[in-house]
């Protein structure tokens, strides 16, 4: 963890935080475009992390965290029914 | 050509694209050529084995249907079965049997010299042989009409997504699908893409990563303790599931993108509440094969308890041997039969006892206890036996396990060092396994043919958007882990390719 580029870089953490915020906002406002924007930010930030020296594994871990967040937040319609 | 290789990642989309561009009645030719190319990429010379097996069983099927004499029909069946099994036994078990006989004779100081041949194990031989046997037996029994078209039959035997590691398809399930003309369907295609992504995730992200920690312990028992062995057993059980289920999902996803539905081979096996339940969820097609063609002809469950137990031991010993030419697999099969026999014998007495104690056996708590018991007491030891290199390795694993118990932070740290696990590694494993559990539900979307919203639903439906996003994250995670393991040399072929 001490050698982690991602967890020791404030810029990367802020960018991932922005991506997460956009995701939650997009989910709340039922906007697919904002969710796609969040994904684009994650992908871009991960690519930047790799460029500045993050390992493939630690980048994969962050991507999997976002994957898990998406898997646990597949939304329901307002009337509570699954689509 | 491994599924997790660049070669396959180029081969598969080209074949799928050509499939949809080819007129329906000629698609079987394309798939047949692609399937034989896929097989020959492993070893070109061994293609004659699968070709020979195909021709013998094809002729046997037609001859069985033409003749009205039962004796002649049985003769053709015997010829086909003996031919196919002889090839399998020779290539897979000749050296094993030779070494075993030599070892046995040397026990009596008979000084027998070892005689082995330099044989290559043909890839997928266990799978396509069983699929061939399934065909000839079903034709003999009248359950399926012999296929007259040699091209469709050859494709049934060699269909590349399921050729080397299953699912073991029945002729009645696969041949009609290969013969019918499929029209491009977005739902099927995207369902296939989802299943494919999940399959690669299971293999590249979970199985290969866990394999590193498993090998640290089981290849170096001198520095292991009971806790590290138990954790390694648990990780190996997960690795094995993700490896094999990952392959099955890749096969299913690839076929689904061509409109062909393969049989489900796994159904959350580690949620089994008993060992018999486990075999209804793990490698389902193999279990069904042994049930229909070995267990039931032996008498199945419609006989005395003693006979039923005998049938169980025969089936599982053969099943263990099917997995590989090693006594550890036989031991695994015997262990499985032992557990199943105990379950069968104690089922009614246990039910009466629990009833007398007024324990609610229908509740979720009791179910959870059964799942945990089945996994910890039966499945992890079975996994360790399965993973061992030989019988002496089995002995070493269990003797280390039973003689190196301890407590405290030092003991725990020793176990973690033995596994090669630091805090980051532990978090990585937990995250990957959590994603693996959650992705099962994602892979199930649309699998059974129910209509689902398309991923690029223009109504801006967030659920379909999320499904696309999940797919994107899954693919990125797969690529990152695959590259990381490739760099360290820790990628591996699919475990079941050895069978």
């Amino acid at each position: 963890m001490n050698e982690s580029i991602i967890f020791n870089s404030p810029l990367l953490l802020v960018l991932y935080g922005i991506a997460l915020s956009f995701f939650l906002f997009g989910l709340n406002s039922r906007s697919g475009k904002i969710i796609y924007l969040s994904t684009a930010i994650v992908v871009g930030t991960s690519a930047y992390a790799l460029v500045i020296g993050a390992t493939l594994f630690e980048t994969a871990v962050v991507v999997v965290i976002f994957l898990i967040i998406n898997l646990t937040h597949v939304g329901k319609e307002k009337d509570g029914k699954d689509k | 050509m491994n599924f997790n290789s660049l070669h396959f990642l180029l081969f598969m989309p080209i074949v799928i694209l050509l499939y949809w561009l080819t007129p329906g009645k000629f698609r079987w030719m394309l798939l047949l050529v692609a399937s034989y190319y896929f097989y020959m990429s492993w070893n070109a010379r061994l293609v004659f084995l699968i070709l020979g097996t195909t021709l013998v069983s094809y002729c046997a099927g037609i001859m069985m249907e033409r003749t009205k004499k039962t004796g002649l029909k049985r003769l053709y069946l015997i010829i086909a079965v003996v031919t196919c099994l002889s090839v399998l036994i020779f290539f897979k078990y000749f050296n094993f049997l030779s070494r075993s006989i030599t070892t046995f004779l040397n026990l009596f100081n008979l000084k027998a010299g070892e005689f082995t041949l330099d044989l290559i194990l043909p890839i997928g031989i266990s799978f396509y042989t069983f699929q061939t046997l399934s065909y000839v037996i079903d034709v003999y029994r009248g359950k399926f009409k012999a296929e007259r078209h040699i091209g469709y039959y050859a494709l049934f035997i060699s269909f590349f997504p399921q050729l080397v590691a299953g699912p073991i398809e029945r002729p009645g399930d696969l041949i009609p699908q290969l013969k019918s003309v499929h029209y491009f369907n977005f739902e099927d295609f995207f369902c296939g893409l989802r299943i494919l992504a999940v399959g690669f995730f299971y293999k590249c992200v979970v199985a290969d990563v866990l394999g590193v920690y498993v090998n640290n312990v089981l290849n170096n028992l001198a520095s292991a303790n009971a806790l590290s062995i138990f954790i390694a057993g648990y990780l190996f059980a997960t690795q094995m599931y993700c490896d094999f289920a990952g392959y099955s999902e890749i096969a299913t996803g690839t076929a689904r993108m061509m409109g062909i539905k393969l049989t489900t081979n796994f159904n959350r096996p580690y949620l089994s509440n008993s060992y018999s339940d486990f075999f209804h969820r793990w490698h389902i097609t193999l279990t069904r094969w042994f049930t229909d063609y070995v267990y039931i002809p032996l008498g199945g469950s419609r006989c005395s308890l003693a006979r039923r137990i005998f049938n169980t031991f025969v089936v599982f010993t053969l099943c263990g041997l099917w997995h590989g030419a090693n006594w550890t697999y036989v031991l695994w099969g015997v262990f499985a039969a032992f557990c199943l026999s105990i379950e069968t014998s104690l089922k009614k007495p246990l039910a009466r006892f629990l009833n007398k104690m007024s324990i609610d056996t229908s509740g979720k708590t009791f179910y959870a206890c059964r799942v945990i018991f089945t996994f910890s007491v039966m499945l992890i030891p079975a996994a360790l036996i399965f993973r061992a290199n030989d019988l002496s390795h089995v002995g070493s694993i269990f003797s280390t396990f039973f003689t190196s118990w301890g407590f405290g932070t030092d003991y725990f740290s020793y176990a973690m060092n033995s596994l090669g696990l630091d805090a980051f590694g532990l978090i990585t494993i937990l995250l990957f396994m959590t994603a693996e559990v959650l992705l099962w539900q994602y892979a199930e979307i649309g699998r059974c043919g129910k209509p689902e919203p398309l991923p690029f639903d223009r109504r801006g439906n967030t659920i379909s958007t999320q499904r696309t996003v999940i797919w994107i994250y899954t693919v990125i995670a797969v690529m990152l882990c695959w590259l990381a393991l490739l760099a360290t040399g820790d990628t591996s072929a699919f475990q079941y390719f050895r069978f």
Side-chain angles (χ1 to χ4, degrees):
Chain A
M1 285 283 217
N2 291 335
E3 298 148 2
S4 166
I5 301 287
I6 292 175
F7 293 104
N8 288 314
S9 167
L11 175 62
L12 291 174
L13 290 174
V14 165
L15 286 171
Y16 282 127
I18 290 170
L20 181 61
S21 308
F22 271 123
F23 170 71
L24 293 172
F25 178 70
L27 204 63
N28 195 43
S29 59
R30 301 180 57 74
S31 168
K33 287 177 187 169
I34 295 179
I35 292 175
Y36 279 129
L37 178 62
S38 160
T39 308
I41 294 172
V42 170
V43 173
T45 308
S46 300
Y48 177 63
L50 288 170
V51 166
I52 64 171
T55 62
L56 291 161
F57 259 130
E58 72 176 297
T59 314
V61 166
V62 176
V63 170
V64 168
I65 289 172
F66 278 90
L67 172 63
I68 290 170
I69 292 169
N70 271 272
L71 284 166
T72 51
H73 276 89
V74 177
K76 294 175 190 274
E77 288 189 345
K78 281 187 180 170
D79 61 2
K81 287 184 197 165
D82 270 336
K83 261 214 164 172
Chain B
M1 198 196 304
N2 262 323
F3 272 9
N4 56 338
S5 66
L6 214 53
H7 192 176
F8 181 76
L9 291 177
L10 291 170
F11 167 82
M12 185 216 4
I14 292 171
V15 170
I16 292 173
L17 178 67
L18 289 174
Y19 177 84
W20 289 116
L21 293 175
T22 306
K25 60 181 180 178
F26 299 119
R27 284 178 185 161
W28 67 269
M29 291 183 201
L30 167 74
L31 287 180
L32 189 60
V33 168
S35 299
Y36 270 79
Y37 172 79
F38 178 82
Y39 194 77
M40 286 169 71
S41 68
W42 296 93
N43 188 318
R45 287 175 296 171
L46 295 175
V47 75
F48 295 105
L49 285 177
I50 189 173
L51 201 54
T53 304
T54 303
L55 289 172
V56 166
S57 51
Y58 170 76
C59 295
I62 290 178
M63 298 306 288
M64 276 193 284
E65 220 166 62
R66 278 191 187 163
T67 184
K68 289 187 178 137
K69 295 179 187 172
T70 313
L72 210 51
K73 209 171 166 181
R74 196 174 294 139
L75 178 65
Y76 291 131
L77 173 70
I78 291 169
I79 290 171
V81 169
V82 166
T83 307
C84 297
L85 282 179
S86 301
V87 173
L88 174 66
I89 290 168
F90 177 74
F91 278 91
K92 195 166 177 179
Y93 301 107
F94 180 86
N95 288 338
F96 167 68
L97 288 170
S98 173
R99 277 194 289 266
S100 300
I101 291 169
T102 307
T103 307
F104 179 75
L105 291 174
N106 284 337
L107 286 175
F108 301 99
N109 291 322
L110 289 173
K111 291 188 185 165
E114 202 173 271
F115 178 70
T116 56
L117 299 172
D118 187 19
L119 294 169
I120 303 167
L121 178 64
I123 198 88
I125 190 169
S126 305
F127 291 90
Y128 71 70
T129 300
F130 270 36
Q131 199 152 302
T132 309
L133 293 176
S134 177
Y135 170 81
V136 294
I137 296 172
D138 280 358
V139 169
Y140 174 78
R141 287 176 175 175
K143 283 178 75 176
F144 188 75
K145 276 181 74 67
E147 178 53 51
R148 303 286 166 164
H149 193 296
I150 180 71
Y152 284 124
Y153 179 69
L155 181 57
F156 162 68
I157 299 298
S158 63
F159 186 47
F160 77 89
Q162 46 92 219
L163 171 61
V164 295
I168 301 171
E169 290 293 337
R170 297 297 173 90
D173 294 332
L174 186 56
I175 292 181
Q177 292 194 74
L178 295 174
K179 290 171 89 164
S180 59
V181 176
H182 301 277
Y183 296 97
F184 186 81
N185 177 304
F186 273 109
E187 284 165 12
D188 263 349
F189 188 81
F190 287 119
C191 179
L193 269 182
R194 282 194 290 269
I195 295 170
L196 191 72
V198 170
F200 276 110
F201 187 92
Y202 282 359
K203 168 58 179 168
C204 300
V205 178
V206 186
D208 281 354
V209 170
L210 295 186
V212 174
Y213 300 107
V214 170
N215 290 342
N216 286 345
V217 173
L218 297 182
N219 291 348
N220 189 16
L221 286 173
S223 60
N225 60 18
L227 179 60
S228 61
I229 288 176
F230 183 80
I231 294 172
Y234 172 72
L235 294 180
F236 178 70
T238 309
Q239 176 197 356
M240 199 62 177
Y241 167 69
C242 288
D243 194 289
F244 195 17
Y247 171 88
S248 288
E249 296 292 64
I250 293 170
T252 303
T254 304
R256 192 62 176 265
M257 287 197 283
M258 294 186 278
I260 296 165
K261 292 178 186 160
L262 297 182
T263 309
T264 301
N265 219 7
F266 291 88
N267 181 18
R268 294 182 293 179
Y270 294 145
L271 290 182
S272 308
N273 61 4
S274 66
Y275 216 40
S276 53
D277 187 29
F278 175 75
F279 284 106
H280 287 102
R281 295 167 176 260
W282 176 278
H283 203 172
I284 296 168
T285 54
L286 182 70
T287 304
R288 279 192 200 151
W289 195 97
F290 272 105
T291 304
D292 289 347
Y293 301 119
V294 183
Y295 186 67
I296 290 175
L298 283 175
S301 307
R302 297 182 185 187
C303 46
S304 65
L305 180 64
R307 176 67 193 208
R308 191 172 164 183
I309 290 172
F310 171 77
N311 295 343
T312 305
F313 270 90
V314 168
V315 166
F316 277 91
T317 304
L318 289 174
C319 184
L321 207 51
W322 176 89
H323 281 85
N326 196 325
W327 287 108
T328 53
Y329 298 119
V330 177
L331 181 61
W332 171 84
V334 169
F335 178 79
F338 177 73
C339 292
L340 285 165
S341 302
I342 298 283
E343 266 183 21
T344 306
S345 310
L346 296 181
K347 193 174 177 181
K348 286 180 183 169
L350 189 62
R352 281 196 293 268
F353 173 75
L354 291 171
N355 198 29
K356 265 190 191 170
M357 302 292 287
S358 304
I359 292 172
D360 178 18
T361 58
S362 59
K364 284 182 183 175
T365 311
F366 187 75
Y367 184 89
C369 290
R370 285 183 67 171
V371 169
I372 292 166
F373 177 83
T374 303
F375 189 77
S376 308
V377 175
M378 294 182 184
L379 295 179
I380 291 183
L384 288 170
I385 294 170
F386 199 84
R387 168 63 177 73
N389 301 325
D390 48 45
L391 291 178
S392 63
H393 196 204
V394 174
S396 302
I397 291 171
F398 284 95
S399 67
T400 308
F401 179 77
F402 286 113
T403 57
S404 60
W405 282 94
F407 298 96
T409 49
D410 286 344
Y411 183 79
F412 181 79
S413 300
Y414 187 87
M416 293 298 113
N417 285 338
S418 159
L419 282 156
L421 261 184
D422 55 9
F424 178 71
L426 192 58
I427 293 169
T428 303
I429 286 178
L430 290 172
L431 284 172
F432 287 179
M433 287 170 69
T434 304
E436 171 244 316
V437 169
L438 294 173
L439 272 171
W440 177 85
Q441 193 63 43
Y442 176 71
E444 288 299 296
I445 297 169
R447 190 195 289 264
C448 299
K450 293 180 194 168
E452 293 288 342
L454 296 177
F456 300 108
D457 189 338
R458 291 183 186 280
R459 289 170 295 167
N461 183 310
T462 53
I463 293 174
S464 59
T465 304
Q466 276 178 266
R467 286 174 184 167
T468 310
V469 164
I470 287 167
W471 189 87
I472 292 169
Y473 284 138
T474 306
V475 169
I476 292 172
V478 166
M479 276 168 39
L480 291 170
C481 287
W482 182 66
L483 287 169
L485 290 168
L486 206 60
T488 55
D490 286 321
T491 56
S492 60
F494 286 86
Q495 301 276 333
Y496 266 68
F497 280 15
R498 296 179 288 149
F499 309 144

